Amino acid sequence: MLRTMSQQQLLFKQESPISQILRTYGKQFKQIQFQYSDGDNGRCALGVIMSYYGWNGKDDSQPARKLSLALMALGSAGIDNSVLVEMNDSGFSFDEIAAYLDSVSK
């Protein structure tokens, strides 16, 4: 059975912890600091999560709704978003942030 891209993305969303989103979906983006997006292909860790939930990285595409979805996902996973932001803005890579999240969720 062939799945459409949206069906695959829905399955991925149901199965993926935040660390997996950063590891896999984050590979599409250049990591940046101090802002969610550079309006192009740059994202911070929280921006990657927002984009995973459908944000295109531009202010005209309902970022507040995507931020809300990202924060709810973080909260459901027991992750304090300020830790995620601090690690990103301190220079930790997406993979390093993901490894830290895995270590504290065990």
Side-chain angles (χ1 to χ4, degrees):
M1 173 174 95
L2 293 175
R3 290 190 176 122
T4 65
M5 182 64 88
S6 62
Q7 287 172 324
Q8 289 174 334
Q9 193 172 25
L10 179 61
L11 288 173
F12 185 70
K13 285 181 185 178
Q14 292 171 345
E15 299 171 357
S16 298
I18 299 298
S19 61
Q20 193 64 23
I21 293 170
L22 290 172
R23 278 192 188 96
T24 57
Y25 198 69
K27 291 186 187 322
Q28 306 180 45
F29 303 103
K30 179 185 91 182
Q31 188 169 2
I32 61 171
Q33 298 171 318
F34 309 111
Q35 56 186 4
Y36 298 134
S37 169
D38 63 3
D40 191 28
N41 198 41
R43 301 286 190 283
C44 72
L46 194 50
V48 167
I49 298 165
M50 290 168 61
S51 292
Y52 176 78
Y53 284 102
W55 185 50
N56 70 3
K58 296 182 178 30
D59 290 336
D60 61 351
S61 62
Q62 302 178 353
R65 177 163 158 55
K66 304 311 178 191
L67 177 59
S68 177
L69 289 170
L71 293 176
M72 286 181 357
L74 289 169
S76 293
I79 299 168
D80 181 351
N81 69 304
S82 64
V83 170
L84 190 76
V85 170
E86 180 65 31
M87 290 184 78
N88 183 87
D89 291 349
S90 295
F92 288 85
S93 70
F94 293 150
D95 285 336
E96 290 170 326
I97 296 168
Y100 169 78
L101 295 177
D102 287 342
S103 74
V104 298
S105 69
K106 293 180 178 179

